[in-house]
Amino acid sequence: MTVPFLDLKAQYGSIRDEVHQALAQVMEGTAFASGPAVAQFEKDFAPFCGCEFAIGVGSGTEALWLSLLALGIGSGDEVITVPNSFIATAEAISFTGAKPVFVDIDERTYTMNPELLRDMITTATKAIIPVHLYGQPSDMDPILRIAQEKDLYVIEDAAQAHGAQYKGRPAGSLGIAGCFSFYPGKNLGAYGEAGAVVTNDASFAGKIKMLRDHGQERKHEHKSIGWNARMDGFQGAILGVKLKYLPEWNEARRQCAQRYNQLLKNSSILTPMEAEYAKHVYHIYAIRSTKRDALKNALAQKNIYCGIHYPVPIHLQPAYAFLGYQNGSFPVAEKCAQELLSLPMYPELSPRQIETVAAAIKEFRHNAA
Ligand SMILES: *Cc1c(COP(=O)(O)O)cnc(C)c1O
């Protein structure tokens, strides 16, 4: 049996007719850049995130970048985030002219360690971007408390956490902005590139709307220098179809995670922890092994395909060498980067596939020299 890391075809098959109809409607209406399908999706996605406003943009990277710009963040400013994210989190900061500053993570949840946060704040700090990695919200209350005390903005990188909750509140609704990616492999994935910013702040929402459309509120009236960061009409239509199924798909992911947890319980493998404050939506189901690379290869030999998120932390990437961090700067993130292995995870993963993966992991000689 082959177990792919991700199988987008399985899901497409289950919604094919609806998707084709929605796409045909966009073509009949010829609204290819933004338009009614995007507007309808925004109207549906905002309440899903517990927010008043959702603004569709071209990608998750743009959602982060425009959010920072809308808050006036730029050259001379510092923004604190974690080193164990997809590089886009840091890139968005860099593209405003500001400097990314990293803080280490919690050893069990792999999200920002709030206890280390205070030490990283300087007079130049303007914002904090916690990343809800793998679909589990960061521990937001202490982060929000520190931000309030120091007068800093909190932008949630919720690119992996559509539908996740922190103490019953939806991911994305806790800071000034929640930034989502609809990259095809995400829990809510488009059939191309797309993203969104959600917020409860009307003035901030207005700024994002202007920034994504060349700084204009009305046609030919450019109030500020913006960008072309609109959501594609086809993507809005597809996301509108898929959003209805997202709660059910997230539930299926949670069940897959529980099956893995059960089957791996008495092995030497460290399974993911769902924090007491969190509803985890398992964008990624990551285990830890000190023999990670050998285990990954052994599984691939059996046609079980895993991923690594992420093998090199951002502060050790060549692109960020200029920040002057080194090996040892963030010991927890660095250790996790060497040990974490992302197992196959998608809503349509079958119990038999999960059993196959778990059996292969247990057969691997974890303690061999
Ligand atoms: C996917 C992702 C992004 C970037 O989103 P794109 O839509 O690919 O631009 C940003 N942050 C995190 C944590 C992500 O997983």
Side-chain angles (χ1 to χ4, degrees), residues 261-269 271 362:
N261 287 343
Q262 201 68 34
L263 294 167
L264 295 170
K265 205 163 51 187
N266 297 315
S267 71
S268 58
I269 285 294
T271 52
K362 284 173 152 171

Side-chain angles (χ1 to χ4, degrees), residues 200-214:
N200 279 308
D201 185 310
S203 136
F204 175 81
K207 284 182 191 162
I208 298 284
K209 276 183 199 160
M210 279 192 5
L211 283 170
R212 76 162 167 190
D213 195 19
H214 301 291

Side-chain angles (χ1 to χ4, degrees), residues 58-64 84-90 131-134 157-160 179-184 186 192-195 283 310:
S59 69
T61 309
E62 279 181 346
L64 288 161
N84 65 326
S85 182
F86 182 55
I87 193 153
T89 316
V131 178
H132 303 330
L133 198 78
Y134 300 160
D157 185 338
Q160 304 187 357
C179 297
F180 289 88
S181 163
F182 307 118
Y183 182 76
K186 300 285 161 84
E193 305 277 355
H283 171 57
Y310 299 88

Side-chain angles (χ1 to χ4, degrees), residues 5 292 296 305-309 340-344:
F5 176 64
R292 190 264 313 274
K296 182 171 186 279
Y305 298 99
C306 299
I308 299 175
H309 302 89
L340 281 162
L341 182 67
S342 313
L343 300 187

Side-chain angles (χ1 to χ4, degrees), residues 253-263 282 285:
R253 284 175 184 269
R254 289 172 55 78
Q255 277 181 19
C256 291
Q258 267 170 28
R259 282 209 176 88
Y260 273 132
N261 287 343
Q262 201 68 34
L263 294 167
Y282 296 98
Y285 182 95

Side-chain angles (χ1 to χ4, degrees), residues 4-309:
F5 176 64
L6 183 64
D7 181 2
L8 294 178
K9 266 193 188 159
Q11 191 167 84
Y12 170 60
S14 74
I15 54 173
R16 179 196 307 257
D17 291 348
E18 253 184 295
V19 164
H20 287 203
Q21 241 172 41
L23 291 177
Q25 236 174 39
V26 174
M27 280 184 278
E28 296 300 334
T30 68
F32 300 118
S34 292
V38 171
Q40 185 59 51
F41 171 67
E42 291 173 335
K43 236 177 111 191
D44 297 338
F45 191 61
F48 178 84
C49 299
C51 283
E52 204 172 329
F53 307 98
I55 304 101
V57 294
S59 69
T61 309
E62 279 181 346
L64 288 161
W65 180 50
L66 297 190
S67 294
L68 290 159
L69 290 177
L71 297 170
I73 289 163
S75 182
D77 297 333
E78 292 179 1
V79 178
I80 301 176
T81 189
V82 288
N84 65 326
S85 182
F86 182 55
I87 193 153
T89 316
E91 283 175 322
I93 299 166
S94 298
F95 252 57
T96 68
K99 178 180 158 189
V101 172
F102 300 110
V103 60
D104 213 345
I105 55 168
D106 179 85
E107 164 99 52
R108 281 303 280 124
T109 62
Y110 315 130
T111 54
M112 182 176 280
N113 184 341
E115 284 173 22
L116 303 175
L117 186 54
R118 216 177 276 275
D119 286 346
M120 313 312 288
I121 297 171
T122 71
T123 53
T125 308
K126 288 289 176 334
I128 306 167
I129 308 186
V131 178
H132 303 330
L133 198 78
Y134 300 160
Q136 168 146 269
S138 313
D139 190 3
M140 291 300 289
D141 275 347
I143 296 171
L144 291 165
R145 206 175 310 123
I146 293 167
Q148 189 170 34
E149 187 188 308
K150 302 276 182 185
D151 202 18
L152 307 172
Y153 296 113
V154 175
I155 298 170
E156 299 171 69
D157 185 338
Q160 304 187 357
H162 324 68
Q165 291 181 0
Y166 177 77
K167 299 185 179 172
R169 293 144 76 198
S173 68
L174 301 149
I176 174 90
C179 297
F180 289 88
S181 163
F182 307 118
Y183 182 76
K186 300 285 161 84
N187 285 28
L188 179 59
Y191 289 177
E193 305 277 355
V197 179
V198 300
T199 185
N200 279 308
D201 185 310
S203 136
F204 175 81
K207 284 182 191 162
I208 298 284
K209 276 183 199 160
M210 279 192 5
L211 283 170
R212 76 162 167 190
D213 195 19
H214 301 291
Q216 60 185 356
E217 237 166 12
R218 272 179 297 279
K219 207 169 168 70
H220 302 311
E221 189 186 337
H222 305 275
K223 286 198 170 166
S224 64
I225 299 172
W227 199 252
N228 175 359
R230 295 181 297 254
M231 185 188 279
D232 176 287
F234 286 125
Q235 306 312 330
I238 287 162
L239 291 167
V241 169
K242 291 182 77 174
L243 181 60
K244 294 180 296 198
Y245 299 101
L246 182 58
E248 170 187 325
W249 288 334
N250 278 343
E251 208 43 55
R253 284 175 184 269
R254 289 172 55 78
Q255 277 181 19
C256 291
Q258 267 170 28
R259 282 209 176 88
Y260 273 132
N261 287 343
Q262 201 68 34
L263 294 167
L264 295 170
K265 205 163 51 187
N266 297 315
S267 71
S268 58
I269 285 294
L270 189 61
T271 52
M273 181 184 88
E274 183 173 31
E276 77 287 351
Y277 55 68
K279 181 180 174 186
H280 198 319
V281 290
Y282 296 98
H283 171 57
I284 299 277
Y285 182 95
I287 59 168
R288 262 166 75 187
S289 160
T290 50
K291 301 229 158 39
R292 190 264 313 274
D293 294 335
L295 174 58
K296 182 171 186 279
N297 290 336
L299 293 174
Q301 294 274 313
K302 298 185 170 178
N303 298 318
I304 296 166
Y305 298 99
C306 299
I308 299 175
H309 302 89

